[in-house]
Amino acid sequence: FGKEVSALDAVECVMLAGIPNAPSAYSPDASPSLTAQRTEQVLERMVACETLSERDAQALSEQTERRLGLSS
């Protein structure tokens, strides 16, 4: 994202959490739709582990789609 880790927002952190499985495949620049799918998996897991509420996960999901240009 071109900035220090301490400057990352929640959406960027969630996207980064999904990248290690396949960095080139889940790159937001290379494949926004795969990034969004992987982000959903990360958010679902965070909710299951009770580290994130359903409401916050939904908000982050919507922000991710907007940032990736996938929402209308």
Side-chain angles (χ1 to χ4, degrees):
F1 296 102
K3 56 182 151 182
E4 295 292 321
V5 173
S6 60
L8 295 174
D9 63 30
V11 172
E12 292 162 338
C13 290
V14 173
M15 281 192 232
L16 285 175
I19 287 178
N21 286 354
S24 60
Y26 295 117
S27 166
D29 294 331
S31 182
S33 61
L34 279 179
T35 300
Q37 289 174 0
R38 181 65 180 147
T39 298
E40 285 298 315
Q41 292 173 341
V42 170
L43 292 170
E44 288 171 7
R45 184 70 183 136
M46 291 176 75
V47 169
C49 290
E50 298 181 358
T51 58
L52 191 66
S53 70
E54 289 273 353
R55 182 178 180 183
D56 289 342
Q58 182 62 35
L60 286 169
S61 176
E62 291 168 4
Q63 290 174 34
T64 299
E65 287 185 4
R66 280 194 302 276
R67 186 161 309 171
L68 294 170
L70 300 174
S71 63
S72 50

